[in-house]
Amino acid sequence: MKRISAPRRTASLSAQLVDSLRSHIEAGGWPVGTRIPSEQVLMEELGVGRSTLREAVGALVHLGLLEPRAGDGTYVCSSSELQSVMVRRASSVERDKVLELRTVLEEYASGAAALRRSEGQLRQLRELLADADEACAGEDRSAATNVDALFHRAVVRASGNDLLIEVYDYLGTALTSSLGGLSWDADHAQEHARLHRRLVDAIETRDDGDARDAAAAIVQLTRDHETTTPHTAEEQ
């Protein structure tokens, strides 16, 4: 198990401990969904007092990286405070605004991917298309949503824009979290799949204009379907 870097002994010990724990989480030392070690274990490992540790953990809870669960310890709920903020922000606004943001990011990324993609990235997109078809054929809606998220992340990575990739990685969880409740009937699912194939075809032929149009059409299809599909109480 990767060890956490102990803080330097200065007056702002708790602040340094926050930075140390945050870096440990961001590096994957404590994966999202796992329970962090007990107070006693951390106190012994880091050589800090209980009050210092509790102050640092409380700060990380406030930042949205940790979540205390009564009687069950403290769990990692996000690997980045920016991701945590974006998930909360996306869940607090209308879905249409989230879809507008998705259009901006994915339309540009798709055009750039058509111009910059590698053969390996193109193969990955084809494989994800096949995975999406298989997932949509089943009844597990969450599986289809997860594959779709992987597909769009792969398109963004093929853009070759490191900053865009980093921003989208933070926003991706927020987008998936906000849009995951949308259900598809047979006609919309068929059109959704057709537009994804069109997008990959455009990326393959390096047609950046059609790639941008296909990406915008995918989001527009979701927006149109959103306005005509009532949500269940579970999806609200």
Side-chain angles (χ1 to χ4, degrees), residues 99 102 179 182 184 188 192 217-227:
L99 288 166
R102 180 177 170 183
L179 302 175
L182 189 62
W184 296 90
H188 281 90
H192 190 257
I218 289 170
V219 182
Q220 187 60 50
L221 178 69
T222 305
R223 296 176 74 174
D224 292 343
H225 188 40
E226 177 80 358
T227 61

Side-chain angles (χ1 to χ4, degrees), residues 99-184:
L99 288 166
E100 285 182 3
L101 176 59
R102 180 177 170 183
T103 301
V104 171
L105 295 176
E106 295 189 8
E107 186 176 345
Y108 175 83
S110 297
L115 298 175
R116 300 170 183 166
R117 56 83 179 165
S118 67
E119 290 300 319
Q121 288 168 331
L122 180 61
R123 284 194 300 272
Q124 182 187 27
L125 290 173
R126 291 290 184 194
E127 291 169 359
L128 287 170
L129 276 184
D131 291 343
D133 288 341
E134 182 178 348
C136 288
E139 297 182 356
D140 187 350
R141 191 168 54 184
S142 64
T145 298
N146 291 336
V147 174
D148 189 67
L150 290 174
F151 174 86
H152 288 287
R153 280 192 173 97
V155 171
V156 173
R157 286 190 171 87
S159 74
N161 184 319
D162 291 341
L163 183 58
L164 176 60
I165 294 167
E166 183 178 356
V167 170
Y168 191 86
D169 277 345
Y170 285 131
L171 293 176
T173 299
L175 293 172
T176 302
S177 175
S178 176
L179 302 175
L182 189 62
S183 60
W184 296 90

